[in-house]
Amino acid sequence: MITTAALSQSHGAAIRELLGTVTSHDGVSPLDEAARLAITAAAGDAQHLLLSADGHASAGEAAGDESAAEAAQPLLGYVSVLADGTVQGMVRPAQRRRGHGTALLRAALELRPDAGVWAHGALEGSLAFLAHAGLHETRSLLTLHRPLGPAHPVPEVAAPTLEDLRLDTFEADRDAEGLLEVNAAAFADHPEQGAMTRADLDQRMAEPWFDPADLLVARRGRDLVGFVWVKQEPAGEAETDEVSGAVDAEIYVVATSPAVQGHGVAGHLLATSLTRLQEAGVPGVELYVEADNAPALALYERWGFSVSGRDVQMRMAEKS
C-alpha cells in the first residue's frame, strides 16, 4: 500500500470531509489535534494512508499530480501515522466491516510495528476491532468536564507564596521561548506535550481558535515560570450550550516551572482562568488527564471536574 508525507489540497479536503462524516456518525472525532494539524501542514514527518473507492491508496502521487477523477472519489478510509509513532484512522460508516479497516491497520503497522493506535472515545466497536487484531490497551486518557456559572462557583485558592509573582497576557516575541522551556520541564515525561517545539507553537498560534488573551502567563521579573492556556473553538466547531448557544472551553495546558512548584502558582493560574471564563459566560470547561495520574485526578475532582470521556491507546504485544 502506497503512503505519502505530502498531501494535495484535494486530498486534504477529502480527508476533512471524511472526518466530518465519521465524527457526526460516531459522536467523537477519530483524529486528535496533532493528526488534524498534520493534514494541513505544508511539510512534516507524518505519513498518510488514503483508501479510495477503487480500493487503492490514493495518496502515492506527488501533491497536485492526482487525476481529477481520482480526486473526486470519496475516501473509504484514512490513517495517520505521526512521527512519534501514534496511529489513528477512520473508515466511512457505510463502508465498515468490509476489510478496509484491517487493510489500513496492517499497512500502518508495517510502517510502525511499535505504533500506539488510538481509539478515541473508547468506542466498543473500535476496541473490539483492535483487540481482534492482536492489540492490547497500554494507555488511557480521560476527558474531564466542569460546568461554570453561579451554581458552580470557582473554588477559592490561597494566594501564591511568591510575593514577586505577577500574571500577564502572552506576547509571542517576549514569551515564546520561555513558555517552551517551562512546558518541556513540566512535561518531561509526557509522550506528546513535552516534545512541543517552536514550530509546533507557531502552528497552533496560526489556528483560528488562538487568542493571546486566552494564554495567561506567570512571571517573576523577566522569567516566565508558569502558564495556563485556554482553547476556545469558534462557534460551530465545538459543543454549545443548548440554552445560551455559548461554547465550552478547554484548559489546553497548565504548566509551571519545577522551581516554583509547591508555591500555589498552578492553582492561582487555573482559578484566575476559570473565573475569567465564568465572567465571560462560558458554560463549561474540559481538560485531559492520564487515567493513571491519581494525584491530578484527585486535584481536579476537588475542583469540581468529573469524567466525561475516555480515549484508549493500544499496541501489539512485544515478541519475546
Side-chain angles (χ1 to χ4, degrees):
M1 184 177 288
I2 301 171
T3 65
T4 186
L7 292 172
S8 67
Q9 289 186 353
S10 59
H11 280 146
I15 295 169
R16 288 189 289 274
E17 182 278 326
L18 178 61
L19 177 61
T21 297
V22 173
T23 300
S24 177
H25 180 273
D26 294 344
V28 63
S29 173
L31 304 181
D32 64 13
E33 181 184 65
R36 293 194 298 270
L37 289 173
I39 296 170
T40 58
D45 297 324
Q47 294 289 326
H48 308 275
L49 286 70
L50 288 77
L51 194 63
S52 65
D54 60 7
H56 298 291
S58 62
E61 300 77 9
D65 289 346
E66 76 280 4
S67 68
E70 181 185 50
Q73 292 178 341
L75 291 179
L76 303 184
Y78 166 76
V79 164
S80 165
V81 183
L82 299 182
D84 63 3
T86 54
V87 168
Q88 48 210 299
M90 52 189 168
V91 172
R92 190 173 296 275
Q95 298 294 331
R96 292 174 180 173
R97 301 183 181 277
R98 300 186 183 185
H100 302 315
T102 298
L104 286 165
L105 177 62
R106 183 182 300 119
L109 292 176
E110 287 177 358
L111 284 174
R112 291 296 300 255
D114 63 336
V117 183
W118 279 112
H120 293 295
L123 301 177
E124 183 178 349
S126 298
L127 296 177
F129 165 71
L130 294 174
H132 182 73
L135 284 73
H136 66 282
E137 180 176 334
T138 57
R139 185 180 171 198
S140 181
L141 186 67
L142 301 179
T143 305
L144 306 185
H145 183 269
R146 184 193 194 281
L148 296 173
H152 306 278
V154 176
E156 294 184 7
V157 298
T161 57
L162 303 171
E163 295 182 357
D164 56 345
L165 188 80
R166 64 185 180 88
L167 303 187
D168 205 350
T169 299
F170 174 80
E171 294 181 10
D173 291 342
R174 178 193 66 187
D175 297 324
E177 295 307 318
L179 182 146
L180 290 171
E181 290 177 7
V182 168
N183 183 81
F187 296 102
D189 297 326
H190 194 279
E192 292 105 16
Q193 185 62 36
M196 185 167 64
T197 65
R198 180 59 193 265
D200 296 328
L201 178 60
D202 289 342
Q203 188 178 26
R204 284 154 179 78
M205 289 193 296
E207 286 293 292
W209 57 262
F210 177 74
D211 185 343
D214 289 332
L215 181 42
L216 190 65
V217 300
R219 308 180 59 81
R220 298 185 74 192
R222 295 183 178 181
D223 296 331
L224 190 153
V225 297
F227 66 94
V228 57
W229 192 348
V230 172
K231 179 179 181 180
Q232 297 192 74
E233 295 278 10
E237 297 184 16
E239 288 191 27
T240 59
D241 181 80
E242 294 182 358
V243 177
S244 66
V247 177
D248 279 355
E250 176 188 341
I251 300 297
Y252 193 52
V253 190
V254 182
T256 56
S257 167
V260 301
Q261 289 176 4
H263 290 276
V265 178
H268 183 49
L269 282 165
L270 184 58
T272 301
S273 183
L274 290 178
T275 299
R276 289 184 175 186
L277 291 171
Q278 182 167 276
E279 292 174 347
V282 175
V285 62
E286 68 177 16
L287 54 81
Y288 297 87
V289 64
E290 300 290 336
D292 60 359
N293 190 341
L297 288 170
L299 170 65
Y300 288 126
E301 183 178 353
R302 292 196 297 272
W303 279 72
F305 286 86
S306 59
V307 176
S308 60
R310 185 168 80 104
D311 301 325
V312 172
Q313 190 177 93
M314 303 178 70
R315 296 179 183 271
M316 293 293 292
E318 296 183 5
K319 296 182 180 179
S320 57

